[in-house]
Amino acid sequence: MALSKQDDLYLGRALELARDAVGLASPNPTVGCVLVRDGVVIGEGAHRYDLYDHAEIVALKQAAVSGHVVRGATAYVTLEPCSHHGRTGPCADALVAAGVARCVVATVDPNPVVSGLGLVKLRAGEVEVVMAEAGSRLAQQARRLNDSFAFSVMHGRPFVTLKAAVSLDGMLAPPVRERVDRKPVWLTGEAARFDVQRLRHASDAILSGVGTVLADDPSLTDRSGLARRRPLLRVILDSELRMPLEYAVVGDGLLLFTTERAPVERERLLIQRGAKVVRVPANASGQVDLASVLEVLQQRQIRSLLLECGSALNGAFLGAGLVDRVMLYISETELGVGAVPFAAGETSPYGLQERLTSVGRVEFPHGALADVRISGYLRDPWVGV
């Protein structure tokens, strides 16, 4: 149903709280809650995984500490209150026990095991439940915050975002003969690169191939300056363990996927440097099997995976149907004939762009010009909810 102006205001505040907790809630969903009684906010909070309490409990405790009466209040929650026992008890039960009279919810829980049951518990406890309209602005914002959680719990693998900076003529990098070893090529300006850091911050893991690492020697770290509960997991696919020991990415927080062809002695040396090495099956081309990689990452509670790869891996993930969202940063630079294509098997990122849904466009200043970010989905992570 349509929300009142007051409902819109307080549910918007709950979304602000949830956004502030991005990077702090995974593998759980990112959730914000605001408690309001007689037009006064009496408690609010967001879920932070390491602190256990869900957003509703944080808000209830804040109200209690402040001496406010909760009975008769309205709870504004960005995601359906949980109905099951996990690390904590059901939030729906806690809201009923506290005497909350009304609960305004932005979107249902996508977890197929519990979806809708929290609403059932609230109604059984005589709490009036008001749902934001499915296609409304606030409902869509709440869903976007938890795309990765929704997709992961429904499909059993991480939500995969392919990020690439490309030239105006759709290329990824200059011709190989023009490259300098271990020196990255920047196609976009500082504003666009800062936006990429925020994208890294919102991701559980970042993945690249050993070829890209050999060319650029990247650190693949989250340099957004924003708080996160666990370091960004750096994942490299390296079927023969060619990774040089002295490169920036080697150390704690590096997860290398390789095959049985990789030398055992090389594995031992990388482990001594702090890396973790996982051997998975090879595909028909002798490369690391991508589906096996995603299976291992899901087991490690990685909900969101950001691809920052070269042409071959971009093409491999796209060809296997394993890309869910695309972020293209397009500069006004042209790289010309012989440059490295965006993705093997894809003639141009502009062809890919035509297949995207929910397409958004953002411009970033870059001197007298502007870089452009085109983003969109190859599949809706909430289909079936």
Side-chain angles (χ1 to χ4, degrees), residues 266-350:
R266 193 73 183 162
E267 177 180 356
R268 185 185 67 80
L269 291 173
L270 285 161
I271 291 173
Q272 284 181 347
R273 299 294 180 98
K276 291 182 172 60
V277 179
V278 176
R279 293 179 185 261
V280 295
N283 61 22
S285 301
Q287 303 301 310
V288 169
D289 179 70
L290 301 183
S292 297
V293 169
L294 296 183
E295 181 180 352
V296 172
L297 293 178
Q298 177 77 2
Q299 292 168 356
R300 292 174 177 245
Q301 295 191 309
I302 297 300
R303 300 291 192 193
S304 52
L305 176 65
L306 178 64
L307 305 182
E308 292 196 14
C309 306
S311 179
L313 268 181
N314 282 349
F317 272 97
L318 286 167
L322 296 175
V323 175
D324 309 305
R325 183 176 62 165
V326 175
M327 293 278 190
L328 296 175
Y329 293 82
I330 304 171
S331 79
E332 298 204 14
T333 302
E334 292 192 25
L335 294 177
V337 177
V340 178
F342 154 71
E346 293 278 342
T347 57
S348 163
Y350 302 113

Side-chain angles (χ1 to χ4, degrees), residues 8 57 61 93-94 113 137 149 184 192 198 242 279-280 284 332 351 368-369 373 379:
D8 194 87
I57 307 304
K61 287 183 176 180
D93 289 352
V113 177
R137 173 180 57 87
F149 175 79
R198 295 185 70 91
R242 295 186 290 144
R279 293 179 185 261
V280 295
E332 298 204 14
L369 307 174
R373 184 189 73 200
R379 60 171 55 85

Side-chain angles (χ1 to χ4, degrees), residues 128-161:
E128 178 189 358
V129 175
V130 179
M131 293 294 303
E133 291 181 351
S136 67
R137 173 180 57 87
L138 293 177
Q140 288 301 308
Q141 289 179 9
R143 289 193 169 198
R144 293 292 75 87
L145 276 173
N146 284 303
D147 280 343
S148 56
F149 175 79
F151 187 86
S152 180
V153 297
M154 288 193 291
H155 297 279
R157 71 161 174 82
F159 181 70
V160 176
T161 298

Side-chain angles (χ1 to χ4, degrees), residues 104-358:
V104 180
V105 181
T107 188
V108 296
D109 190 328
N111 188 337
V113 177
V114 297
S115 183
L117 297 182
L119 305 181
V120 170
K121 281 199 168 193
L122 290 173
R123 291 180 177 122
E126 300 184 349
V127 176
E128 178 189 358
V129 175
V130 179
M131 293 294 303
E133 291 181 351
S136 67
R137 173 180 57 87
L138 293 177
Q140 288 301 308
Q141 289 179 9
R143 289 193 169 198
R144 293 292 75 87
L145 276 173
N146 284 303
D147 280 343
S148 56
F149 175 79
F151 187 86
S152 180
V153 297
M154 288 193 291
H155 297 279
R157 71 161 174 82
F159 181 70
V160 176
T161 298
L162 188 157
K163 166 262 165 184
V166 297
S167 62
L168 190 60
D169 51 351
M171 299 298 176
L172 201 62
V176 175
R177 65 180 180 276
E178 298 178 12
R179 295 293 305 274
V180 177
D181 287 346
R182 301 180 67 175
K183 186 176 182 180
V185 175
W186 300 112
L187 294 179
T188 57
E190 290 185 7
R193 295 203 295 270
F194 177 75
D195 191 65
V196 170
Q197 293 302 320
R198 295 185 70 91
L199 186 58
R200 288 183 180 184
H201 173 71
S203 304
D204 292 333
I206 183 171
L207 183 149
S208 193
V210 69
T212 298
V213 174
L214 291 173
D216 296 343
D217 191 12
S219 60
L220 298 179
T221 53
D222 172 4
R223 298 187 292 281
S224 66
L226 301 172
R228 58 185 305 140
R229 66 165 292 261
R230 51 182 176 175
L232 179 65
L233 179 66
R234 296 170 296 164
V235 180
I236 304 297
L237 307 190
D238 185 358
S239 58
E240 297 179 352
L241 288 184
R242 295 186 290 144
M243 175 70 68
L245 299 177
E246 71 276 11
Y247 270 41
V249 76
V250 177
D252 293 339
L254 172 63
L255 179 60
L256 280 161
F257 283 92
T258 191
T259 66
E260 290 303 319
R261 291 187 295 142
V264 173
E265 176 61 17
R266 193 73 183 162
E267 177 180 356
R268 185 185 67 80
L269 291 173
L270 285 161
I271 291 173
Q272 284 181 347
R273 299 294 180 98
K276 291 182 172 60
V277 179
V278 176
R279 293 179 185 261
V280 295
N283 61 22
S285 301
Q287 303 301 310
V288 169
D289 179 70
L290 301 183
S292 297
V293 169
L294 296 183
E295 181 180 352
V296 172
L297 293 178
Q298 177 77 2
Q299 292 168 356
R300 292 174 177 245
Q301 295 191 309
I302 297 300
R303 300 291 192 193
S304 52
L305 176 65
L306 178 64
L307 305 182
E308 292 196 14
C309 306
S311 179
L313 268 181
N314 282 349
F317 272 97
L318 286 167
L322 296 175
V323 175
D324 309 305
R325 183 176 62 165
V326 175
M327 293 278 190
L328 296 175
Y329 293 82
I330 304 171
S331 79
E332 298 204 14
T333 302
E334 292 192 25
L335 294 177
V337 177
V340 178
F342 154 71
E346 293 278 342
T347 57
S348 163
Y350 302 113
L352 175 63
Q353 182 181 327
E354 294 171 358
R355 292 161 27 209
L356 301 179
T357 61
S358 302

